[in-house]
């Protein structure tokens, strides 16, 4: 099951991404790094052993959301973006 995690590079979002993977889900991160840092992706890669799928963008931008939903077709969304 594919899960879109908005704000997935924030503190709670990034921890959720790890737990989703541990539970057998496939998270897709959407974040604009306004309240986080791109280095979180490197940290996730170090923890997980691979780089999770992520998109840089604002979840209030309908074009960005349309692109992510069209490409990834998530089954669920967890919204942590501030």
């Amino acid at each position: 099951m594919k899960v879109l995690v908005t704000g997935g590079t924030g503190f709670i979002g990034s921890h959720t991404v790890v737990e989703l993977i541990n539970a057998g889900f496939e998270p897709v991160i959407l974040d604009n790094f306004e309240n986080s840092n791109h280095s979180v992706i490197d940290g996730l890669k170090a923890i997980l052993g691979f780089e999770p799928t992520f998109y840089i963008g604002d979840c209030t931008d309908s074009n960005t959301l349309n692109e992510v939903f069209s490409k990834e077709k998530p089954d669920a969304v967890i919204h942590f973006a501030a």
Side-chain angles (χ1 to χ4, degrees):
M1 177 184 241
K2 192 176 282 193
V3 180
L4 175 62
V5 182
T6 65
T9 62
F11 181 80
I12 296 171
S14 61
H15 284 78
T16 300
V17 166
V18 171
E19 292 307 316
L20 284 169
I21 290 171
N22 288 339
F25 294 95
E26 182 183 352
V28 175
I29 298 168
L30 172 62
D31 208 308
N32 64 2
F33 299 111
E34 187 171 318
N35 294 310
S36 62
N37 191 296
H38 191 276
S39 65
V40 173
I41 297 295
D42 296 331
L44 287 170
K45 185 177 177 181
I47 291 167
L48 301 170
F50 66 93
E51 187 172 290
T53 303
F54 76 97
Y55 292 85
I56 298 173
D58 192 318
C59 67
T60 64
D61 178 17
S62 61
N63 291 328
T64 298
L65 282 180
N66 286 334
E67 176 187 346
V68 173
F69 273 83
S70 293
K71 288 183 179 178
E72 300 298 333
K73 299 180 179 24
D75 300 294
V77 176
I78 301 176
H79 179 57
F80 291 124

